[in-house]
Amino acid sequence: MTVVAEKRDDFMLEAYRRVAWAEEPVRIADSAVEVVRQSRDRFLQLPNRDLDVVIYGVTTGSGQTAEQRLHPDQRRA
């Protein structure tokens, strides 16, 4: 039987056991894929909507330059 992931509540220990140990297949429902797509789109728009938002490696440098805020042109690069 296939484990179908439609919502967060579907990611429970029993579903994990079925997939990891009983080797049942898993299918991500189209509705869940759409929620992920919409969330990703909102996240990608965030730095352009809120110029003060701090997102490591996106609006700041990374590693030793993590405290450096990036200009919008640098963010796109």
Side-chain angles (χ1 to χ4, degrees):
M1 196 163 146
T2 299
V3 174
V4 179
E6 295 182 75
K7 55 192 180 308
R8 287 182 187 187
D9 290 345
D10 294 331
F11 293 95
M12 303 300 278
L13 287 176
E14 178 57 21
Y16 174 81
R17 184 199 65 73
R18 288 171 53 197
V19 173
W21 301 108
E23 299 182 2
E24 289 185 38
V26 64
R27 182 176 69 80
I28 308 299
D30 292 342
S31 59
V33 172
E34 180 61 20
V35 168
V36 170
R37 187 194 63 73
Q38 290 174 5
S39 296
R40 179 181 184 276
D41 289 346
R42 282 193 305 273
F43 175 76
L44 292 175
Q45 293 169 10
L46 180 60
N48 297 323
R49 285 194 320 256
D50 182 355
L51 296 179
D52 293 327
V53 69
V54 176
I55 304 171
Y56 174 79
V58 176
T59 64
T60 71
S62 58
Q64 293 178 330
T65 63
E67 293 184 18
Q68 176 186 352
R69 297 298 302 268
L70 300 178
H71 184 274
D73 291 335
Q74 293 172 306
R75 294 176 185 185
R76 283 187 284 281

